[in-house]
Amino acid sequence: MRINTFFYTLKQGFRNIFRNKLFSLASIATIAACLFLFGIFYAVVANFQHIVKNAEEGVSVWVFFDEGIEDVRIQQIGDMIAKRPEVAKMDFISAEEAWESFRDEYLGEYGDGFTENPLENSANYQVYLNDVSMQSALVTYLESIEGVRMVNRSELVATTLTGVNALIAYVSVGIIAILLAVSIFLISNTVAIGISVRKEEINIMKYIGATDFFVRSPFVVEGIMIGLIGAAMPLGFIYAIYNVVLTYVTDRFPQLSSLLSFVAVEEVFNVLVPVSLGLGVGIGFLGSIVTVRRHLRV
Amino acid sequence: MAVKKKRKGPVVENEIITLTNVSKAYSTGAPALKDVNLHISRGEFVFIVGDSGSGKSTLIKLLLRELTVSSGYINVMGYDLSRIKHRKIPKFRRNLGIVFQDFRLLKDRNVYENVAFAQRIIQKSNKEIKKNVPSILAIVGLAGKYKAKPRQLSGGEQQRVALARALVNQPTILLADEPTGNLDPKNSWEIMKLLEQINENGTTVIVVTHNREIVNAMQKRVITLRRGVIISDEEKGGYIDED
């Protein structure tokens, strides 16, 4: 393609947007609204997943050993557990540490009366998982290891967190799919109207010997520009809103700060900017290419 | 009415348009052209005349490859239009110039841009466009009006712009579909003189018209169609009225 043809195509794409102002504005506004919702949704999901992830990190499995087990075997079991891919980290808690922790937490000064360690067989590994949904598989494995007497776990927490994660994923995919479909439909409509407005011009182009690409490309440029503008507009709003909400929640509910930790705005936007712009371009491209293929057989 | 004189014989070397037993029927089944045989040589000036429904427009659309034949063979400038691939049609059409009765100018662009539009479509460089457009506007007598919008021009001037747009890409064949249909006699004659001048410079010109006076006065080859059949093809012919 010649350089002046490239610029001509770009110029025609922009002209299409202005020729068809009302519909272009309606498309831009709808895509902006859709991607605004997407952005807000993404920010909420990112934070929720961050919180869930933090909660998951606190979920652990306790591995207790047979009575009278040798230290060498405990070490061997530790090595076996550490090799498992689902294990994020593990701590060894000796019988003495377990007793001290229990005594300090529940008995206080009454614990001084004990001369021997009542939790003699409570040495254990505390195992943290990468993904809480893998807990069941890990427990089955741990229970099969020779020398392991008992494995304690929190089934409820693991199931709840796994369920919440799956729900977030399904809802995200559903909402995003609906928003994308609406946006593509709108762009497609705008481009179809643009084609009907320019029918005369397209006919002339056809008679003069314009290629399919030459006739179609301004409409694809139009679609991509509408998608790009529609995607860029809400990013600024989301940035401002995110900061305001974060400051408000932190100031208003300081007691939540120990429970909830939020994702930094930069971290959210590192993902949101390229994804939103990519979606805008993709929606624009798809909406226009489908329409020109259907309506513009040159 | 009996056929006056039918052009037959072998295909000549500089033949530019050949139709052999061409028929075209629309989806309703109504035949628009029936078993048409036609030969036009390079550099000819040909009138195609006939009443409404005679098949003139269908013939033009077949020559532009806007329609395909139902049966028969059609060759224009070496392109077999019965079999041409879709992607080759633009290249084929770049050898044709077309002028319509209703001018079909882009109303939002000025004279210069309307003519340059044709050059942009075939991806000429800006340098070539700046050279070619003023030159062709001078030929059609509109050099001084290059900034005017179509609505600021008379019908004759608009048709000259359309002619300039058709000619700027230096077509081998110029197809003019009722080019004087919307013009007064003075402007009609001026357009016809321009077409004659273009033909004298080597372009094959095919004019579809209803204008009896012009056809009779110009003494060019006249092909008369009636109900999809060529009823007359005369070297220096005249307009044949329907009985």
Side-chain angles (χ1 to χ4, degrees), chain A residues 201-219:
Chain A
E201 186 178 338
I202 291 164
N203 269 333
I204 297 166
M205 291 167 95
K206 187 174 76 171
Y207 288 130
I208 294 171
T211 58
D212 284 7
F213 178 81
F214 190 89
V215 176
R216 289 170 173 176
S217 50
F219 294 103

Side-chain angles (χ1 to χ4, degrees), chain A residues 183-245:
Chain A
S183 305
I184 289 170
F185 173 74
L186 276 161
I187 290 220
S188 170
N189 258 2
T190 306
V191 170
I193 288 160
I195 289 171
S196 82
V197 167
R198 290 184 62 201
K199 206 163 193 166
E200 181 77 20
E201 186 178 338
I202 291 164
N203 269 333
I204 297 166
M205 291 167 95
K206 187 174 76 171
Y207 288 130
I208 294 171
T211 58
D212 284 7
F213 178 81
F214 190 89
V215 176
R216 289 170 173 176
S217 50
F219 294 103
V220 177
V221 168
E222 178 190 0
I224 290 175
M225 291 315 299
I226 287 174
L228 206 55
I229 297 166
M233 275 168 50
L235 287 173
F237 287 116
I238 295 170
Y239 191 91
I241 288 171
Y242 192 88
N243 274 330
V244 168
V245 171

Side-chain angles (χ1 to χ4, degrees), chain B residues 181-194:
Chain B
N182 280 353
L183 304 179
D184 58 38
K186 182 175 169 283
N187 276 310
S188 296
W189 273 112
E190 280 177 3
I191 291 295
M192 291 317 296
K193 277 177 196 160
L194 262 174

Side-chain angles (χ1 to χ4, degrees), chain A residues 102-116:
Chain A
F102 181 82
R103 191 185 57 194
D104 294 347
E105 196 165 340
Y106 298 105
L107 303 176
E109 58 190 36
Y110 301 110
D112 295 343
F114 290 89
T115 51
E116 286 183 7

Side-chain angles (χ1 to χ4, degrees), chain A residues 1-2 4-5 8 12 15 19 200-201 204-212 214 297-298, chain B residues 64 66 86 90 93-94 98 100 104 106 108-109 117-118 120-121 123-126 128 165 169:
Chain A
M1 188 202 275
R2 279 175 180 270
N4 63 326
T5 305
Y8 179 78
Q12 291 307 310
R15 281 179 79 145
R19 268 189 202 136
E200 181 77 20
E201 186 178 338
I204 297 166
M205 291 167 95
K206 187 174 76 171
Y207 288 130
I208 294 171
T211 58
D212 284 7
F214 190 89
R297 174 92 178 149
V298 181
Chain B
L64 280 165
E66 198 180 337
H86 177 75
R93 286 187 180 146
R94 288 175 188 191
I98 176 111
F100 300 97
R104 299 197 190 175
L106 303 174
D108 60 334
R109 291 174 221 188
F117 179 65
R120 293 213 162 88
I121 284 168
Q123 302 188 30
K124 289 280 180 191
S125 69
N126 282 333
E128 286 171 296
R165 185 180 65 193
N169 293 343

Side-chain angles (χ1 to χ4, degrees), chain A:
Chain A
M1 188 202 275
R2 279 175 180 270
I3 191 83
N4 63 326
T5 305
F6 173 75
F7 284 115
Y8 179 78
T9 302
L10 273 187
K11 195 175 153 190
Q12 291 307 310
F14 276 106
R15 281 179 79 145
N16 285 356
I17 294 175
F18 287 104
R19 268 189 202 136
N20 208 0
K21 276 189 213 94
L22 272 181
F23 283 98
S24 300
L25 272 176
S27 295
I28 290 171
T30 316
I31 290 168
C34 287
L35 289 177
F36 176 76
L37 284 177
F38 168 75
I40 293 288
F41 191 72
Y42 173 76
V44 169
V45 167
N47 276 288
F48 197 78
Q49 289 208 318
H50 183 70
I51 291 162
V52 169
K53 187 80 187 161
N54 280 345
E56 276 185 355
E57 280 169 10
V59 176
S60 55
V61 170
W62 291 270
V63 182
F64 296 92
F65 314 108
D66 290 342
E67 285 180 27
I69 192 169
E70 291 179 2
D71 288 349
V72 179
R73 182 57 192 159
I74 291 178
Q75 185 59 47
Q76 283 171 346
I77 292 170
D79 292 342
M80 288 164 78
I81 297 171
K83 281 179 190 160
R84 296 288 294 185
E86 61 267 56
V87 172
K89 65 168 187 164
M90 56 188 282
D91 296 324
F92 177 71
I93 294 157
S94 66
E96 291 70 32
E97 285 168 337
W99 168 235
E100 273 173 33
S101 167
F102 181 82
R103 191 185 57 194
D104 294 347
E105 196 165 340
Y106 298 105
L107 303 176
E109 58 190 36
Y110 301 110
D112 295 343
F114 290 89
T115 51
E116 286 183 7
N117 183 357
L119 300 179
E120 199 177 344
N121 292 316
S122 59
N124 65 80
Y125 282 119
Q126 193 168 359
V127 183
Y128 297 89
L129 289 93
N130 286 319
D131 180 351
V132 80
S133 67
M134 294 172 173
Q135 195 193 60
S136 230
L138 181 70
V139 167
T140 308
Y141 169 74
L142 294 173
E143 284 173 343
S144 71
I145 299 173
E146 198 181 325
V148 171
R149 170 169 51 97
M150 182 174 66
V151 179
N152 279 358
R153 58 177 157 171
S154 172
E155 190 73 58
L156 182 66
V157 174
T159 314
T160 308
L161 290 177
T162 306
V164 168
N165 262 341
L167 184 69
I168 290 172
Y170 289 137
V171 172
S172 310
V173 169
I175 290 185
I176 290 166
I178 291 166
L179 294 180
L180 290 184
V182 170
S183 305
I184 289 170
F185 173 74
L186 276 161
I187 290 220
S188 170
N189 258 2
T190 306
V191 170
I193 288 160
I195 289 171
S196 82
V197 167
R198 290 184 62 201
K199 206 163 193 166
E200 181 77 20
E201 186 178 338
I202 291 164
N203 269 333
I204 297 166
M205 291 167 95
K206 187 174 76 171
Y207 288 130
I208 294 171
T211 58
D212 284 7
F213 178 81
F214 190 89
V215 176
R216 289 170 173 176
S217 50
F219 294 103
V220 177
V221 168
E222 178 190 0
I224 290 175
M225 291 315 299
I226 287 174
L228 206 55
I229 297 166
M233 275 168 50
L235 287 173
F237 287 116
I238 295 170
Y239 191 91
I241 288 171
Y242 192 88
N243 274 330
V244 168
V245 171
L246 228 63
T247 313
Y248 178 79
V249 172
T250 319
D251 290 351
R252 190 72 192 265
F253 307 103
Q255 64 275 24
L256 287 178
S257 60
S258 57
L259 286 172
L260 307 177
S261 65
F262 296 105
V263 184
V265 68
E266 291 77 17
E267 212 175 305
V268 172
F269 270 71
N270 278 345
V271 177
L272 194 57
V273 170
V275 170
S276 275
L277 296 180
L279 275 176
V281 170
I283 291 166
F285 180 76
L286 210 65
S288 52
I289 203 85
V290 165
T291 314
V292 295
R293 276 180 183 275
R294 196 190 307 155
H295 295 286
L296 267 185
R297 174 92 178 149
V298 181

